[in-house]
Short mmCIF file of all heavy atoms in Angstrom, two decimals:
data_model
loop_
_atom_site.label_atom_id
_atom_site.label_comp_id
_atom_site.label_asym_id
_atom_site.label_seq_id
_atom_site.Cartn_x
_atom_site.Cartn_y
_atom_site.Cartn_z
N GLY O 53 -2.30 -2.96 15.90
CA GLY O 53 -2.00 -1.62 16.03
C GLY O 53 -0.60 -1.40 16.43
O GLY O 53 0.08 -2.18 17.02
N ALA O 54 -0.02 -0.20 16.11
CA ALA O 54 1.33 0.16 16.40
C ALA O 54 1.58 1.70 16.13
O ALA O 54 1.02 2.07 15.12
CB ALA O 54 2.32 -0.61 15.63
N TYR O 55 2.31 2.23 16.95
CA TYR O 55 2.90 3.63 16.71
C TYR O 55 1.64 4.56 16.49
O TYR O 55 1.61 5.37 15.51
CB TYR O 55 3.90 3.66 15.59
CG TYR O 55 5.04 2.97 16.03
CD1 TYR O 55 5.35 1.69 15.69
CD2 TYR O 55 6.06 3.60 16.88
CE1 TYR O 55 6.38 0.92 16.05
CE2 TYR O 55 7.12 2.96 17.35
CZ TYR O 55 7.34 1.67 16.91
OH TYR O 55 8.43 0.86 17.36
N GLY O 56 0.60 4.40 17.30
CA GLY O 56 -0.49 5.42 17.22
C GLY O 56 -1.47 5.20 16.17
O GLY O 56 -2.37 6.09 15.82
N TYR O 88 -9.20 -1.77 21.70
CA TYR O 88 -7.78 -1.89 21.81
C TYR O 88 -7.40 -3.31 21.75
O TYR O 88 -7.54 -4.08 22.72
CB TYR O 88 -7.27 -1.05 23.01
CG TYR O 88 -5.82 -1.30 23.29
CD1 TYR O 88 -4.82 -1.14 22.42
CD2 TYR O 88 -5.33 -1.71 24.62
CE1 TYR O 88 -3.44 -1.27 22.66
CE2 TYR O 88 -4.02 -1.85 24.79
CZ TYR O 88 -3.12 -1.68 23.80
OH TYR O 88 -1.85 -1.88 24.14
N ARG O 89 -6.75 -3.80 20.65
CA ARG O 89 -6.43 -5.22 20.43
C ARG O 89 -7.61 -6.16 20.59
O ARG O 89 -7.51 -7.31 21.11
CB ARG O 89 -5.36 -5.62 21.41
CG ARG O 89 -4.00 -4.89 21.38
CD ARG O 89 -3.28 -5.14 20.01
NE ARG O 89 -2.10 -4.39 20.03
CZ ARG O 89 -1.86 -3.07 19.72
NH1 ARG O 89 -2.99 -2.36 19.20
NH2 ARG O 89 -0.78 -2.51 19.72
N TYR O 120 4.26 9.28 18.08
CA TYR O 120 4.21 8.06 18.93
C TYR O 120 5.66 7.52 19.16
O TYR O 120 6.44 7.45 18.20
CB TYR O 120 3.30 7.04 18.45
CG TYR O 120 2.72 6.25 19.53
CD1 TYR O 120 1.51 6.75 20.02
CD2 TYR O 120 3.12 5.08 19.96
CE1 TYR O 120 0.85 6.04 20.97
CE2 TYR O 120 2.54 4.30 20.93
CZ TYR O 120 1.32 4.86 21.40
OH TYR O 120 0.60 4.11 22.43
N SER O 163 4.61 -8.22 21.45
CA SER O 163 4.20 -7.65 22.73
C SER O 163 3.33 -8.58 23.46
O SER O 163 2.33 -9.07 22.92
CB SER O 163 3.41 -6.34 22.46
OG SER O 163 4.21 -5.49 21.70
N PHE O 164 3.83 -8.88 24.69
CA PHE O 164 3.06 -9.92 25.47
C PHE O 164 1.87 -9.34 26.16
O PHE O 164 0.87 -9.96 26.34
CB PHE O 164 3.96 -10.65 26.43
CG PHE O 164 3.39 -11.88 27.06
CD1 PHE O 164 3.77 -13.08 26.40
CD2 PHE O 164 2.61 -11.87 28.04
CE1 PHE O 164 3.23 -14.32 26.87
CE2 PHE O 164 2.03 -13.13 28.55
CZ PHE O 164 2.41 -14.30 27.91
N PHE O 165 1.98 -8.08 26.61
CA PHE O 165 1.00 -7.45 27.42
C PHE O 165 0.40 -6.24 26.67
O PHE O 165 1.02 -5.62 25.89
CB PHE O 165 1.53 -6.98 28.77
CG PHE O 165 1.99 -8.10 29.67
CD1 PHE O 165 3.31 -8.35 29.72
CD2 PHE O 165 1.12 -8.74 30.43
CE1 PHE O 165 3.83 -9.30 30.56
CE2 PHE O 165 1.48 -9.84 31.30
CZ PHE O 165 3.01 -10.08 31.39
N LYS O 166 -0.84 -5.90 27.00
CA LYS O 166 -1.45 -4.75 26.41
C LYS O 166 -0.98 -3.46 27.25
O LYS O 166 -0.79 -3.65 28.36
CB LYS O 166 -2.96 -4.82 26.55
CG LYS O 166 -3.65 -5.80 25.73
CD LYS O 166 -5.11 -5.56 25.75
CE LYS O 166 -5.95 -6.77 25.66
NZ LYS O 166 -7.29 -6.64 25.80
N ASN O 167 -0.85 -2.30 26.71
CA ASN O 167 -0.59 -1.12 27.47
C ASN O 167 -1.78 -0.75 28.25
O ASN O 167 -3.00 -0.57 27.77
CB ASN O 167 -0.28 0.04 26.58
CG ASN O 167 1.04 -0.21 25.80
OD1 ASN O 167 2.04 -0.73 26.35
ND2 ASN O 167 1.16 0.06 24.46
N PRO O 168 -1.73 -0.64 29.57
CA PRO O 168 -2.97 -0.45 30.44
C PRO O 168 -3.37 0.98 30.12
O PRO O 168 -2.64 1.94 30.04
CB PRO O 168 -2.46 -0.55 31.94
CG PRO O 168 -0.97 -0.40 31.73
CD PRO O 168 -0.48 -0.80 30.40
N VAL O 169 -4.68 1.15 30.23
CA VAL O 169 -5.32 2.47 30.11
C VAL O 169 -5.94 2.96 31.43
O VAL O 169 -6.77 2.02 32.02
CB VAL O 169 -6.38 2.52 29.01
CG1 VAL O 169 -7.08 3.91 28.87
CG2 VAL O 169 -5.75 2.20 27.65
N ILE O 170 -5.53 3.87 32.12
CA ILE O 170 -5.99 4.14 33.39
C ILE O 170 -6.64 5.53 33.51
O ILE O 170 -6.38 6.41 32.78
CB ILE O 170 -4.75 4.07 34.43
CG1 ILE O 170 -3.66 5.20 33.98
CG2 ILE O 170 -4.20 2.63 34.42
CD1 ILE O 170 -2.53 5.22 34.95
N PRO O 186 6.19 7.72 30.86
CA PRO O 186 5.70 7.99 29.58
C PRO O 186 4.14 7.81 29.54
O PRO O 186 3.65 6.87 30.29
CB PRO O 186 6.38 7.12 28.53
CG PRO O 186 7.12 6.19 29.44
CD PRO O 186 7.02 6.41 30.93
N TYR O 188 0.28 8.56 27.08
CA TYR O 188 -0.41 8.96 25.87
C TYR O 188 -1.86 9.26 26.24
O TYR O 188 -2.54 8.45 26.88
CB TYR O 188 -0.42 8.00 24.69
CG TYR O 188 1.06 7.68 24.43
CD1 TYR O 188 1.75 6.60 24.92
CD2 TYR O 188 1.68 8.56 23.47
CE1 TYR O 188 3.01 6.25 24.67
CE2 TYR O 188 3.08 8.31 23.28
CZ TYR O 188 3.77 7.09 23.71
OH TYR O 188 4.94 6.83 23.48
N GLU O 190 -5.69 9.45 25.88
CA GLU O 190 -6.80 8.80 25.09
C GLU O 190 -7.93 9.75 24.66
O GLU O 190 -8.22 10.59 25.44
CB GLU O 190 -7.23 7.55 25.79
CG GLU O 190 -6.21 6.52 25.94
CD GLU O 190 -5.94 5.71 24.72
OE1 GLU O 190 -6.90 4.98 24.28
OE2 GLU O 190 -4.85 5.99 24.12
N VAL O 195 -5.74 7.65 30.28
CA VAL O 195 -4.31 7.82 29.90
C VAL O 195 -3.82 6.43 29.67
O VAL O 195 -3.96 5.56 30.59
CB VAL O 195 -3.57 8.61 31.08
CG1 VAL O 195 -2.12 8.69 30.64
CG2 VAL O 195 -4.18 9.97 31.32
N LYS O 196 -3.03 6.25 28.58
CA LYS O 196 -2.37 5.06 28.30
C LYS O 196 -0.93 5.05 28.68
O LYS O 196 -0.20 5.99 28.39
CB LYS O 196 -2.54 4.70 26.80
CG LYS O 196 -2.05 3.33 26.41
CD LYS O 196 -1.90 3.18 24.91
CE LYS O 196 -3.26 2.80 24.22
NZ LYS O 196 -3.11 2.55 22.83
N VAL O 197 -0.53 4.05 29.42
CA VAL O 197 0.90 3.94 29.89
C VAL O 197 1.60 2.72 29.34
O VAL O 197 0.97 1.67 29.27
CB VAL O 197 0.87 3.87 31.43
CG1 VAL O 197 2.33 3.75 32.01
CG2 VAL O 197 -0.06 5.01 32.15
N PRO O 198 2.74 3.01 28.68
CA PRO O 198 3.36 1.80 28.12
C PRO O 198 3.69 0.78 29.04
O PRO O 198 4.47 0.84 30.06
CB PRO O 198 4.73 2.47 27.53
CG PRO O 198 4.47 3.95 27.53
CD PRO O 198 3.51 4.13 28.66
N ALA O 199 3.25 -0.48 28.87
CA ALA O 199 3.46 -1.61 29.69
C ALA O 199 4.84 -1.94 29.81
O ALA O 199 5.38 -2.40 30.89
CB ALA O 199 2.66 -2.80 29.20
N GLY O 200 5.58 -1.87 28.67
CA GLY O 200 7.07 -2.15 28.56
C GLY O 200 7.83 -1.19 29.55
O GLY O 200 8.77 -1.71 30.31
N TRP O 201 7.40 0.13 29.79
CA TRP O 201 8.07 0.88 30.79
C TRP O 201 7.77 0.31 32.21
O TRP O 201 8.71 0.36 32.98
CB TRP O 201 7.58 2.36 30.45
CG TRP O 201 8.36 3.36 31.40
CD1 TRP O 201 9.50 4.05 31.07
CD2 TRP O 201 7.93 3.90 32.73
NE1 TRP O 201 9.82 4.86 32.12
CE2 TRP O 201 8.82 4.71 33.12
CE3 TRP O 201 6.84 3.55 33.60
CZ2 TRP O 201 8.81 5.37 34.36
CZ3 TRP O 201 6.82 4.10 34.79
CH2 TRP O 201 7.68 5.15 35.13
N LEU O 202 6.68 0.08 32.41
CA LEU O 202 6.18 -0.44 33.80
C LEU O 202 7.00 -1.61 34.14
O LEU O 202 7.62 -1.77 35.22
CB LEU O 202 4.61 -0.69 33.90
CG LEU O 202 3.75 0.37 33.55
CD1 LEU O 202 2.40 -0.09 33.47
CD2 LEU O 202 3.86 1.40 34.80
N ILE O 203 7.21 -2.60 33.11
CA ILE O 203 7.92 -3.77 33.34
C ILE O 203 9.35 -3.47 33.59
O ILE O 203 9.99 -4.16 34.48
CB ILE O 203 7.65 -4.75 32.18
CG1 ILE O 203 6.19 -5.17 32.26
CG2 ILE O 203 8.45 -6.06 32.38
CD1 ILE O 203 5.72 -5.81 30.80
N GLN O 222 13.59 -4.81 24.90
CA GLN O 222 12.16 -4.32 24.90
C GLN O 222 11.42 -5.24 25.92
O GLN O 222 11.25 -6.35 25.63
CB GLN O 222 11.50 -4.34 23.49
CG GLN O 222 9.95 -4.36 23.58
CD GLN O 222 9.53 -3.04 24.13
OE1 GLN O 222 9.41 -3.02 25.32
NE2 GLN O 222 9.21 -2.02 23.42
N LEU O 224 8.58 -5.51 26.96
CA LEU O 224 7.22 -5.91 26.74
C LEU O 224 7.25 -7.34 26.04
O LEU O 224 6.18 -7.94 25.86
CB LEU O 224 6.56 -4.92 25.76
CG LEU O 224 5.05 -4.85 25.65
CD1 LEU O 224 4.28 -4.83 27.03
CD2 LEU O 224 4.62 -3.64 24.88
N ILE O 254 -1.06 -1.09 39.11
CA ILE O 254 -1.76 -1.20 37.81
C ILE O 254 -1.67 -2.69 37.41
O ILE O 254 -0.74 -3.36 37.53
CB ILE O 254 -0.87 -0.39 36.76
CG1 ILE O 254 -1.11 1.12 37.02
CG2 ILE O 254 -1.55 -0.76 35.36
CD1 ILE O 254 -0.11 1.95 36.10
N GLN O 255 -2.87 -3.16 36.93
CA GLN O 255 -3.05 -4.53 36.55
C GLN O 255 -2.70 -4.51 35.04
O GLN O 255 -3.50 -3.95 34.30
CB GLN O 255 -4.47 -5.00 36.82
CG GLN O 255 -4.65 -6.41 36.74
CD GLN O 255 -3.81 -7.24 37.71
OE1 GLN O 255 -3.69 -7.00 38.87
NE2 GLN O 255 -3.03 -8.26 37.11
N ILE O 256 -1.66 -5.28 34.56
CA ILE O 256 -1.48 -5.37 33.16
C ILE O 256 -2.05 -6.75 32.60
O ILE O 256 -1.95 -7.72 33.36
CB ILE O 256 0.05 -5.16 32.65
CG1 ILE O 256 0.91 -6.20 33.58
CG2 ILE O 256 0.43 -3.74 32.89
CD1 ILE O 256 2.32 -6.17 33.00
N SER O 257 -2.66 -6.74 31.48
CA SER O 257 -3.24 -7.98 31.05
C SER O 257 -2.53 -8.40 29.74
O SER O 257 -2.19 -7.60 28.88
CB SER O 257 -4.68 -7.93 30.95
OG SER O 257 -5.05 -6.69 30.27
N PRO O 258 -2.50 -9.78 29.58
CA PRO O 258 -1.94 -10.29 28.30
C PRO O 258 -2.55 -9.78 26.97
O PRO O 258 -3.88 -9.60 26.97
CB PRO O 258 -2.01 -11.76 28.35
CG PRO O 258 -2.21 -11.94 29.81
CD PRO O 258 -3.14 -10.82 30.32
N GLU O 259 -1.71 -9.56 26.01
CA GLU O 259 -2.28 -9.25 24.58
C GLU O 259 -2.44 -10.60 23.83
O GLU O 259 -3.17 -10.75 23.06
CB GLU O 259 -1.40 -8.30 23.85
CG GLU O 259 -1.75 -8.02 22.40
CD GLU O 259 -0.73 -7.16 21.77
OE1 GLU O 259 -0.31 -6.09 22.29
OE2 GLU O 259 -0.51 -7.30 20.58
#
Side-chain angles (χ1 to χ4, degrees):
Y55 294 100
Y88 173 51
R89 301 292 185 273
Y120 215 86
S163 306
F164 197 92
F165 297 101
K166 295 188 210 179
N167 293 320
V169 178
I170 59 176
Y188 302 96
E190 291 288 288
V195 180
K196 187 189 277 182
V197 181
W201 185 87
L202 298 171
I203 297 166
Q222 167 56 275
L224 196 49
I254 296 178
Q255 194 58 46
I256 52 172
S257 47
E259 175 180 321

